[in-house]
Amino acid sequence: MDKLILKNNLKSFRTEKNLNQSQLASLVGVSRQTISNIETGEFTPSAKLALLLAIALDKNFEEVFYF
């Protein structure tokens, strides 16, 4: 079976809100590097962090993260 990979629209929604990586990281309590790694797909966030990111961007979870 193929492995499911969680993809995201984090960067586009972040720039839409005029936030840089550091600002978004501060809003959700992580490092700028964590945001960068999520955006590039190098890191898959926990369910809690993914939900916090969606809330910070005023988006539904499914708008930000998808398979």
Side-chain angles (χ1 to χ4, degrees), residues 5-26:
I5 298 173
L6 189 65
K7 298 174 187 166
N8 69 77
N9 293 312
L10 192 60
K11 184 176 182 178
S12 63
F13 289 136
R14 175 178 58 76
T15 56
E16 183 180 284
K17 296 278 285 183
N18 294 316
L19 295 170
N20 62 35
Q21 289 178 341
S22 295
Q23 291 167 324
L24 180 57
S26 179

Side-chain angles (χ1 to χ4, degrees), residues 14-60:
R14 175 178 58 76
T15 56
E16 183 180 284
K17 296 278 285 183
N18 294 316
L19 295 170
N20 62 35
Q21 289 178 341
S22 295
Q23 291 167 324
L24 180 57
S26 179
L27 287 174
V28 298
V30 298
S31 70
R32 183 210 55 81
Q33 189 63 43
T34 298
I35 299 299
S36 176
N37 288 341
I38 294 169
E39 288 182 355
T40 61
E42 293 177 44
F43 176 73
T44 301
S46 67
K48 179 181 176 181
L49 178 53
L51 185 58
L52 288 172
L53 288 165
I55 291 168
L57 296 169
D58 292 322
K59 300 291 181 185
N60 292 324

